[in-house]
Amino acid sequence: MFVRSIVADAFGTNCYVVAPEEGEECVLVDPGFGVVERVREVLAQHRLRPAAVLLTHGHLDHVYSVTPVCGGTTAAYIHGDDAYRLKDPVSLLTAPVRLALEQQFGRVSTWTEPERVVHVRDREVLELAGLQVEIAHAPGHTEGSVLFSLPALPHGLASDELDRTVLSGDVLFAGSIGRTDLPGGDHAAMERSLRDVVMPLADSSLVLPGHGPATTMARERRTNPYLLAL
């Protein structure tokens, strides 16, 4: 499976380009701040055609570039419980976050909702761009946070210990989890998601998080303090 990561200009959000092979259709995951031109460069260099944009949740740092990336023809896929965030995620920013963005970028752009939005459901399996993507609803960071699981590994990562890839958004990081103190966050819901959704993931899962380095479920099960505390 072809996978490229692009780190956004703000908050270190990981945007992923995923395809079965070069020269085919692809999906884009979580296009954040300042990634549009780099996404286009990756698409051109590897002859990829976007078939869908997948959003692990609706926070602005994960969806900021969704509308220009979709371009009016490609659909954005998001869980129904977070779909309201695509109406105007800028208005949902806390004052300190808005100030920090204005200091970095001068002014946060006005928002235009993507023309085509598809609501995904828990345990739904999407067939997109020749990829099989399973949805797991894992609320806590936001109401509609999800994991995307694919039964394949990135090229160049041959391993007897890994056999699938999980795009975990802001639910699970290497050594940590997503915060629950922002609007729509719920610590009790996050604990349930960690127990009922994350912990059952196979140790053979490569985890590509919304921020920070890749990890594995086996490593997180052994070392992540939030999982050890369950």
Side-chain angles (χ1 to χ4, degrees):
M1 182 170 67
F2 174 92
V3 178
R4 288 292 182 276
S5 62
I6 300 168
V7 180
D9 289 345
F11 303 105
T13 308
N14 293 323
C15 170
Y16 297 99
V17 182
V18 185
E21 300 287 348
E22 294 186 63
E24 299 188 15
E25 288 189 318
C26 68
V27 298
L28 309 173
V29 182
D30 288 357
F33 285 87
V35 302
V36 174
E37 289 305 317
R38 284 176 288 162
V39 165
R40 289 173 178 163
E41 289 171 3
V42 169
L43 297 181
Q45 179 181 356
H46 300 282
R47 310 179 314 283
L48 298 167
R49 305 177 304 280
V53 177
L54 305 181
L55 303 173
T56 61
H57 63 291
H59 278 159
L60 189 64
D61 60 319
H62 289 252
V63 307
Y64 187 78
S65 296
V66 63
T67 300
V69 166
C70 285
T73 57
T74 304
Y77 289 71
I78 191 169
H79 192 275
D81 289 349
D82 260 22
Y84 77 94
R85 295 177 178 274
L86 292 184
K87 300 293 183 182
D88 185 5
V90 176
S91 68
L92 300 175
L93 294 175
T94 62
V97 172
R98 182 186 291 272
L99 178 61
L101 289 173
E102 289 176 350
Q103 288 175 339
Q104 181 170 356
F105 294 101
R107 181 176 180 272
V108 180
S109 299
T110 56
W111 179 258
T112 302
E113 186 178 5
E115 291 185 23
R116 298 179 58 204
V117 177
V118 178
H119 297 177
V120 302
R121 302 181 304 276
D122 186 40
R123 302 305 169 187
E124 182 178 9
V125 178
L126 304 174
E127 300 284 347
L128 296 168
L131 300 165
Q132 187 179 76
V133 184
E134 182 177 356
I135 311 299
H137 185 208
H141 180 64
T142 66
E143 308 94 324
S145 290
V146 298
L147 311 181
F148 297 122
S149 296
L150 300 93
L153 290 173
H155 291 323
L157 197 64
S159 172
D160 294 333
E161 299 178 355
L162 300 174
D163 60 11
R164 64 185 300 106
T165 301
V166 176
L167 297 145
S168 62
D170 285 6
V171 177
L172 180 67
F173 304 135
S176 190
I177 61 171
R179 58 191 296 181
T180 59
D181 60 336
L182 298 174
D186 185 323
H187 184 71
M190 176 66 91
E191 288 190 330
R192 290 192 296 271
S193 292
L194 295 176
R195 182 189 67 229
D196 299 337
V197 180
V198 173
M199 288 295 283
L201 292 173
D203 283 351
S204 56
S205 302
L206 171 70
V207 179
L208 301 181
H211 302 267
T215 184
T216 68
M217 191 57 208
R219 181 181 302 132
E220 296 311 301
R221 198 186 307 281
R222 292 193 311 268
T223 64
N224 190 308
Y226 296 93
L227 301 186
L228 292 173
L230 292 175

